[in-house]
Amino acid sequence: MKKIIFTILTGLFLTAVVNGQTLHLYGGKNHDVYLGCLNCNSYDQNSIWNEYGKYGNSYNSNCIWNKYGTYGNEYNSYSPWNSYSNDPPVVVDKEGNFYGYFTVNEYQSKRAEFELALIIYKYHELIREDVDEWYDKIFE
């Protein structure tokens, strides 16, 4: 089963990065809280995939992997994991171009639905348990 998932994820990653842009997450009421880089490598200090960095560390209150923090708690309206949220994080590139709302809420208008986002939505609970392992599955 893991081998099948790995194969699917590897294939999907080829189309995951939208227009080759580095994508960033911003959350909060006015989307002014930086939540990290969505598709940066796991060594980048701003990457959500860097377990030792600010945005990939599940103990940081602003980390989407912290299930007790504002942006990782499935019951918080600012969390991408809240199925009913109307205030999820946004995905933008460095020029500020909007790529959609980053949310598991399938009914959210303008939800980000590029392949990487869909993979993260589907497996977010497993990813938070081992971010490093999932980075390797998705990106390498």
Side-chain angles (χ1 to χ4, degrees):
M1 180 68 164
K2 285 185 178 182
K3 189 173 185 176
I4 293 170
I5 291 173
F6 176 76
T7 303
I8 292 169
L9 293 177
T10 302
L12 291 175
F13 176 71
L14 297 175
T15 58
V17 180
V18 180
N19 297 329
Q21 294 294 319
T22 300
L23 302 176
H24 302 275
L25 294 174
Y26 285 87
K29 184 175 182 171
N30 298 313
H31 299 109
D32 56 359
V33 177
Y34 185 63
L35 302 176
C37 179
L38 190 61
N39 59 345
C40 291
N41 75 50
S42 63
Y43 296 104
D44 188 303
Q45 67 180 0
N46 292 324
S47 178
I48 66 165
W49 304 102
N50 183 345
E51 293 180 298
Y52 303 104
K54 182 175 182 180
Y55 306 104
N57 184 323
S58 63
Y59 296 104
N60 182 333
S61 62
N62 287 352
C63 177
I64 64 170
W65 307 126
N66 180 346
K67 61 184 169 183
Y68 304 108
T70 302
Y71 302 100
N73 184 317
E74 67 181 287
Y75 301 107
N76 191 292
S77 65
Y78 297 128
S79 172
W81 318 132
N82 182 329
S83 299
Y84 304 102
S85 177
N86 289 320
D87 277 325
V90 294
V91 181
V92 297
D93 63 20
K94 66 181 178 180
E95 286 83 32
N97 296 311
F98 178 75
Y99 288 82
Y101 290 98
F102 189 70
T103 180
V104 296
N105 181 352
E106 295 178 10
Y107 302 103
Q108 173 68 47
S109 177
K110 299 180 185 175
R111 174 182 151 173
E113 294 199 345
F114 50 88
E115 293 298 328
L116 178 58
L118 295 174
I119 291 168
I120 295 171
Y121 301 155
K122 184 172 183 175
Y123 298 106
H124 72 275
E125 291 177 356
L126 294 171
I127 293 171
R128 83 169 56 180
E129 299 301 321
D130 194 341
V131 173
D132 192 46
E133 177 186 338
W134 276 88
Y135 174 83
D136 291 342
K137 285 180 181 181
I138 295 171
F139 292 94
E140 293 181 358

